[in-house]
Amino acid sequence: EALKKDVIRFCEESGLTVLTAPHGTLKVTMSEAREFPSKTADERAYLDLSLLMRRAGIDDCFKLDQNALYKEYYLKEALTPELMEKLEKFLVNRRKNRIMPRMKNGNPE
């Protein structure tokens, strides 16, 4: 995990997305995504968001699925403008990084 963070930091600082070595390459992708908070990331915001959805009658199941809320309701603007405005304050930007190794000629020695 520490090595992954170092690789991502190096790529950010140098503007690179591919690192080449004798045994293969590392492709690094970095992106920003908006999403609603999960229970583990911010329990208080998650509970407030759950309560807001229950009051709006959007609670389709016992547990709030923040991904479904974002994709099926928020992105499709399937809610009232007032509710969309209230939801806006819950959105957080989350950075997603991915490292994909590609080995040349099988595994390195």
Side-chain angles (χ1 to χ4, degrees):
E1 195 62 32
L3 179 58
K4 179 181 175 182
K5 288 179 183 179
D6 288 343
V7 168
I8 291 168
R9 183 175 36 251
F10 175 78
C11 288
E12 286 176 332
E13 291 171 356
S14 62
L16 298 173
T17 58
V18 177
L19 301 175
T20 304
H23 296 293
T25 61
L26 288 179
K27 182 177 180 183
V28 179
T29 58
M30 296 169 270
S31 63
E32 294 277 335
R34 293 182 78 194
E35 59 186 32
F36 290 110
S38 67
K39 187 174 184 179
T40 55
D42 186 341
E43 188 172 358
R44 184 71 220 158
Y46 177 85
L47 292 173
D48 290 344
L49 182 59
S50 296
L51 182 59
L52 179 63
M53 291 297 91
R54 286 177 193 227
R55 288 181 180 158
I58 306 295
D59 188 34
D60 292 336
C61 59
F62 180 72
K63 180 182 172 195
L64 174 68
D65 181 341
Q66 72 274 11
N67 294 320
L69 172 61
Y70 184 73
K71 292 176 183 174
E72 299 299 322
Y73 291 96
Y74 187 81
L75 285 181
K76 293 180 180 179
E77 297 182 8
L79 305 168
T80 65
E82 178 185 350
L83 190 52
M84 292 289 288
E85 185 177 329
K86 288 180 180 178
L87 286 174
E88 185 72 28
K89 74 176 185 175
F90 287 99
L91 284 172
V92 293
N93 288 325
R94 182 174 175 158
R95 187 160 185 94
K96 296 183 179 184
N97 302 310
R98 186 172 173 196
I99 298 177
M100 296 169 285
R102 295 198 182 227
M103 305 307 287
K104 290 182 184 175
N105 301 324
N107 292 329
E109 296 178 13

